[in-house]
Amino acid sequence: AHTKIHKSPIVGRMQLEAGGAGLTTATVWEASAMVAEGLSPILVCNQVVGPVKAAELARLAASAEVVALIESTANADELAAAARRAGTEIGVLVELDVGLHRAGARSVDAAVALAEHADASAGLRLLGPFGYEGHCMLEPDRELRIQKARAANAQLIELADAFERKGLSTQIVAAGGLGTWDITGANERITEIH
C-alpha cells in the first residue's frame, strides 16, 4: 500500500490492518515517519542516494524491515557501507527500466550484474527484481494500456528468470501501480503490486 499521498502513519496503520502486505514510501523520510510509529515492512520505492539518507535507512533497519531500490553499484556500495556502519542489513530490489525511462538498470544483463554485486555485499540482502510500468498508468485506451503493461511485465519476468538461472533471489518480484494493478496483478510471477 502506497503512502506518498497521505504520508500519515495513522492511515498507514489502517492500510496494514486492511490487509496490506507492507507500506510503500517515496522517500526515506516518509519511511522514518512510518517506522517511528512501529509500522513495517517498508519499501522506499526510489533509490536512496547520499550519505545522510543512506545512514537514515541503515538506522531504520535496526527496528524495521526496510527495502530500497538500487540501480547502480555506486548506490549499492553506499547503502552497504551505511548498513555495515550501523550494524544492520538493508533489503534491496534491483530496478529495471521497463519503459518509463526514469530510473533503473538499462538492460537485463546490467541488472543481473548489479544483483550479483549486491548479493555479494555485506550489509545488503538481495530480495529480487523491480520494474515499475509507470508509462502505462495514464494510458486512456484500455486495450493499449493492457498491451503496454504486459510488455513491461514481460521484461521484468525476463529479469526474474535471469536471476533464477544465476541462483539470485526472487523472493520478491515487484511492479504495479493504480493504473495497472489488475493487469500486472494477473501475472502469477509477480509477487508484489505497489
Side-chain angles (χ1 to χ4, degrees), residues 19 33 47 52 56 60 64 76 90 111 121 129-130 137 164-165 192:
Q47 288 72 28
V52 173
E56 178 65 4
L60 295 177
I90 297 169
S121 297
F130 178 94
M137 296 298 153
E164 289 176 352
R165 284 192 299 275
E192 287 193 6

Side-chain angles (χ1 to χ4, degrees), residues 126-129 159-161 163-164 168-173 189 191:
L126 177 67
L127 296 172
L159 179 57
D161 289 343
F163 274 30
E164 289 176 352
L168 298 166
S169 176
T170 55
Q171 176 183 335
I172 296 173
V173 179
R189 292 289 305 284
T191 66

Side-chain angles (χ1 to χ4, degrees), residues 148-160:
K148 287 181 173 182
R150 286 181 177 162
N153 293 164
Q155 292 177 64
L156 176 61
I157 299 310
E158 180 185 354
L159 179 57

Side-chain angles (χ1 to χ4, degrees), residues 80-162:
R84 288 191 304 270
R85 283 191 297 274
T88 60
E89 186 176 64
I90 297 169
V92 293
L93 297 173
V94 173
E95 184 170 8
L96 177 66
D97 180 359
V98 295
L100 183 59
H101 308 308
R102 181 178 71 183
R106 298 298 186 241
S107 71
V108 167
D109 288 345
V112 168
L114 176 56
E116 290 176 321
H117 181 83
D119 195 46
S121 297
L124 299 183
R125 184 171 26 86
L126 177 67
L127 296 172
F130 178 94
Y132 175 55
E133 69 280 14
H135 60 293
C136 307
M137 296 298 153
L138 300 178
E139 173 55 58
D141 181 320
R142 172 77 178 161
E143 289 307 313
L144 187 54
R145 185 180 332 149
I146 291 169
Q147 185 179 55
K148 287 181 173 182
R150 286 181 177 162
N153 293 164
Q155 292 177 64
L156 176 61
I157 299 310
E158 180 185 354
L159 179 57
D161 289 343

Side-chain angles (χ1 to χ4, degrees), residues 1-16 20-28 30-31 34 41-46 69 102 130 132 137 175-178 192-194:
H2 218 308
T3 66
K4 71 179 178 180
I5 300 300
H6 61 74
K7 297 178 176 43
S8 166
I10 295 168
V11 178
R13 186 173 306 283
M14 292 169 67
Q15 289 173 302
L16 290 174
L23 297 176
T24 301
T25 68
T27 71
V28 70
E30 291 172 13
M34 300 300 158
I42 306 289
L43 167 69
V44 180
C45 68
N46 285 301
L69 306 182
R102 181 178 71 183
F130 178 94
Y132 175 55
M137 296 298 153
L178 186 59
E192 287 193 6
I193 305 295
H194 299 280

